[in-house]
Amino acid sequence: MAGVDDPLDRVIGAKSATLIAEQLDVRTVGDLLRHYPRRYADQGQLTPIASLTPGEDVTVVAEIRSCSSRPMQQKKGTIQQAVIFDGTRTLNLTFFNQHRLPRVLLPGRQALFAGRVTRYGKARTLQLTHPRYQLLDGDADKLAEFSRALIPVYPATKDLPSWTIQLCVRQVFDLLDDPEDPLPAELRSQHRLLELGAALRAVHRSDDRAAIATAQRRLKWDEAMAVQLTLARRRQEAASRPAPACPPRDGGLAAAFDAALPFTLTAGQREVGELLAVELAGEHPMNRLLQGEVGSGKTVVALRAMLQVVDAGRQAVLLAPTEVLAAQHARSLRAMLGEHGRAGELGSAEQATRIALLTGSLPARARKQALLDAASGAAGIVVGTHALIQDRVSFADLGMVVVDEQHRFGVEQRDALRARAVDDTSPHVLVMTATPIPRTVAMTVYGDLEVSALHELPSGRAPISTTVVPVGDKPGWLQRVWRRIAEEVAGGRQAYVVCPRIGGEDAASEDPPGEDTAGEDPAGEDEAGEDGGRAPLAVLDLISQLAEGPLAGLRLVALHGRLPGNDKDAVMRSFTAGEIDVLVATTVVEVGVDVPNATVMVIMDAQRFGVSQLHQLRGRVGRGAHPGLCLLVTDSPEGTAGRERLDAVAATTDGFELAQRDLELRREGDVLGAVQSGRRSGLKLLSLLRDADLIGQARQAAQQLVETDPDLTAHPGLARLAADLLDDQRAQFLEKV
Ligand code: ADP
Ligand code: MG
């Protein structure tokens, strides 16, 4: 008999076991049992030869009529031709350089053949070229196996066809002892879940689709529990650490700031603000995600929280994804704080603090000063880029970390930050994102955080309208785009033009990945075919075309990740000051950039961007009293995936709706990183899209379990489920959206 921990070669032949280990990274009986079928083919889907169509991948059961080998005419090597017969029709097979084949494919033998149907010759005859085959040889047993009502189709490789896996799985089941069930009986009965052994057997061997679905639901629970237990333990671990208590102080900086605020807070801002104030005052760390549409006023909320921390005598750090944004944050914080932010300078307020800016491109002296201010505690607020602050800066007394616009910031990075505080305490963490997160994703990728949201925009915001400009069908429309920009500029407004690439002299080469270019990863690859494989439009090419052509006479400036940090900052500053009419940029302007006078956003090759990127980009306009216009320029024809994404973006400005739509449009594999690429990984059946309810229930169950049994000592099976998941490529699906 065999158990799930046994190495495969003890149960199936060493040759198959080696092949399976090489091809699928599957080594134990348990691994193989968790290699679930991708789908199930009805027996009828063993295609009759009469109904083959070119281009299809088919599996045919047939008898070999003949097989011969001869040298090729024009090239070196040999060609083998076989004819097979399925009882109704014959089909030709062609192989190359397998001169022994006629000794194997003997007339009268029965076999399965799998391959792609092609046509050849003048007569356009159908054939299979180099099909894989599995001899059945009147082996009643094998024949029965492949004539089942439902044939499981496994994720397979060229050298390891599904049917080999099927036979191995069957062998395993012949010897298998029922595995121990990691899910507690109580949980199983509460949610009416099959036992593990029964579920595995059904998912691999059942002939009944309903039974398979029931089994899959049970197996999804294993996956959901593994994720949710991991997250529940993280939450618990994080929440049980001591944190620097930062109670609010009357008459402090926060109060002075509120008094000077030029607008009234929205109800949502006030509500979240009160919640944060309470949590910051607590003895355990706050771990909170603040979601809110672009422009909903998250930064103000964060700043008020940071000032409470400064009032308590500690420091707060604000991390931005790019240098541009870090500099802009520092600038607007200084402006908002006025005399309260200029400690040590002439004319500063009595209890003033200092705001230090830390980016990679600061001149050495300024950087040294900023580092000193952080280390000495002279700077109550430190603003910098994720990359820089994460590993180099030391703080006198770090009370709070704010991570802004962070959709590329994973669980582990947040853990690393939490580890930064002094004496075992963990700082309070506030993560802000304008990328609306579907509920299921919030429960997984951000599952270590509690979630709050700002739902309303400050009043007086003008709406943004979005239009797809299909220059493939209507080339003339591009001229209208430029004319529209010229009109806005004539009216005193400003515009952005975004391109997917920087370009320049080394236009052919990849743009260098750097701190600020990390985000410039256009949706790319799968779209390559849609624009005929041409290179995406580049900032540096477009800006010169515009300057010499349709936008001649306007003040155009380029902004991209390859500019030195100081230059980027200078460009942003003069754009903010209205000294630039049109900013031609890469996605460095994607997040956070706030210039209320900018009203038009033109996105070139828009099909190359993802839905949330487009939504972020368009959030750069309509931030003031003037209505915003976003033009998505594309030559992707209607019906392509790229075009569908654009239509979705144009159809709504509701970020939450869009996020859900995005999840539907993207293959989920993209959401979870490489998880569904067929490699062994934690999530195989669970779908963020379809299994929201199941995930929610698992989250609850996991939370309850962890509350009573934090180390899962009474539930070793569950502990192992969670541990296996973590081993699994460091649970990479927890790291990225
Ligand atoms: P987010 O970070 O959520 O995109 P910001 O905090 O940058 O939004 O706010 C966008 C703009 O709205 C800023 O110029 C900010 O000063 C302004 N703002 C924030 N809250 C309010 C409010 N309650 N009333 C009016 N304007 C506000
Ligand atoms: Mg912001």
Side-chain angles (χ1 to χ4, degrees), residues 228-277:
Q228 294 304 331
L229 283 169
T230 304
L231 292 166
R233 292 168 87 182
R234 275 179 202 260
R235 279 197 303 272
Q236 201 185 43
E237 203 274 322
S240 65
R241 291 194 199 168
C246 302
R249 187 154 64 81
D250 285 340
L253 281 171
F257 174 77
D258 279 355
L261 210 57
F263 46 74
T264 44
L265 296 173
T266 64
Q269 284 172 321
R270 263 201 314 278
E271 214 169 281
V272 175
E274 278 159 26
L275 182 66
L276 298 188

Side-chain angles (χ1 to χ4, degrees), residues 293-300 325 328-329 404-405 432 434 591-594 620 623:
E293 282 289 323
V294 173
S296 59
K298 297 180 295 296
T299 313
V300 179
L325 204 50
Q328 181 184 293
H329 272 313
D404 189 26
E405 312 280 5
M432 302 192 289
V591 283
V593 170
D594 185 18
R620 301 306 110 213
R623 296 174 76 82

Side-chain angles (χ1 to χ4, degrees), residues 80-95:
Q80 289 73 39
Q81 284 183 308
V83 178
I84 58 173
F85 179 66
D86 71 350
T88 341
R89 289 284 186 90
T90 60
L91 177 69
N92 295 339
L93 313 179
T94 305
F95 300 82

Side-chain angles (χ1 to χ4, degrees), residues 43 46 59-64 85-86 108-113 134-152 163 166-167 170 205 207:
Q43 216 265 318
L46 287 181
T59 303
V60 181
V61 187
E63 188 184 298
I64 295 145
F85 179 66
D86 71 350
R109 287 183 115 172
Q110 265 211 324
L112 281 163
F113 298 90
Q134 163 83 35
L135 292 173
L136 299 173
D137 271 350
D139 181 335
D141 197 37
K142 268 190 198 165
L143 204 57
E145 181 62 27
F146 294 112
S147 332
R148 295 156 44 108
L150 278 187
I151 304 213
W163 60 59
Q166 183 184 345
L167 290 174
R170 199 195 66 164
R205 310 285 305 153
D207 280 334

